[in-house]
Amino acid sequence: MASRSSTSTPSSGDGRGDDPVGGTLVGVALGLVVVAAVVGALRRRRRPRAFALPSSVVAQVREAQADRLEQEARSGLLVLGDAIRTHDLDPGDDSQAWQAALDHYDAAARVLDTGGSDLGVLDAVGAVVLVRRGRAALDAATAGKPYRPVAGCYLNPLHGPPTRKRTRLVQDGHTGDVPLCPACRADLKAGRAPDALRVDRGGKAVLYVDSGVEPWASTAYGALGGDLVGALHRLR
């Protein structure tokens, strides 16, 4: 009687069997890494970039320029006054905008009159801003539209209108979103010193918002919102 031969189960060549649990754990770990990378990328995309304001800015509006700015403000005030006097309030005009034009005219005249022959550069800039806003209010009134002040460039109110998107600015340890004109925003993005409005205080050039001269410092000449004319009456 022939003997029955025994059969053996073949084994893998390296002596180890497949490990389905280990493979699953590796797959889960890789998946978590991918998810974490995606979430991190989304967070970086959503977080606005903050720009540090250089401590020293070469381009400055100095006290020596106060005379030129004062002349610009006085000339603009004369033109605005003539435009107000020669225009009669029509039924189609916006009365609120008309009153805003008068208020800004009076405020600019007050700044120029109280400054006298020793008008500082920050007051001269303030008068220019008030005259420009008064002109904008008068244009809105004659067009039959309400007047809404447009915030100026935070770093220099003499610049053009700001971009639609605000810029996150780091200054002296404080961070805030402020309106900047395209030129200042481009300078900061390129690592260049922007043409900021700085004045001399004790032999040191400081940004006007740190000058303590009101109402310009706390309102940023209206760039931070609020009623600039009202602030002038409250703080002067």
Side-chain angles (χ1 to χ4, degrees), residues 14-215:
D14 59 359
R16 294 177 299 176
D18 294 335
D19 186 2
V21 175
T24 301
L25 292 177
V26 171
V28 171
L30 289 175
L32 291 176
V33 170
V34 172
V35 171
V38 172
V39 171
L42 290 175
R43 287 180 176 176
R44 287 192 297 271
R45 183 180 302 175
R46 292 173 183 171
R47 186 182 301 119
R49 181 182 176 186
F51 297 97
L53 185 64
S55 57
S56 61
V57 177
V58 177
Q60 304 170 12
V61 176
R62 302 180 183 275
E63 295 289 342
Q65 293 180 281
D67 291 341
R68 179 184 62 80
L69 292 169
E70 181 181 354
Q71 291 177 0
E72 178 182 345
R74 292 191 183 279
S75 298
L77 189 65
L78 288 175
V79 173
L80 177 60
D82 289 340
I84 291 175
R85 283 188 292 270
T86 57
H87 183 82
D88 295 327
L89 184 61
D90 296 329
D93 291 348
D94 188 282
S95 58
Q96 177 271 339
W98 180 265
Q99 186 61 51
L102 295 175
D103 291 342
H104 282 82
Y105 174 86
D106 291 339
R110 177 185 174 188
V111 171
L112 292 172
D113 290 342
T114 56
S117 60
D118 190 26
L119 188 70
V121 64
L122 296 185
D123 281 346
V125 172
V128 170
V129 171
L130 289 167
V131 168
R132 290 178 180 178
R133 288 191 167 201
R135 180 74 247 190
L138 182 60
D139 291 342
T142 56
K145 299 178 180 179
Y147 169 65
R148 296 183 178 86
V150 177
C153 176
Y154 174 81
L155 291 181
N156 194 326
L158 297 175
H159 290 175
T163 60
R164 182 172 300 179
K165 183 179 180 181
R166 293 202 166 200
T167 303
R168 179 152 294 181
L169 191 66
V170 179
Q171 179 191 353
D172 297 332
H174 302 287
T175 303
D177 296 332
V178 297
L180 292 182
C181 69
C184 284
R185 181 177 172 84
D187 284 339
L188 288 175
K189 291 181 70 174
R192 298 186 298 266
D195 180 24
L197 174 58
R198 289 179 179 261
V199 291
D200 181 78
R201 287 295 179 269
K204 180 181 179 182
V206 300
L207 193 64
Y208 72 93
V209 294
D210 297 322
S211 67
V213 179
E214 296 294 355

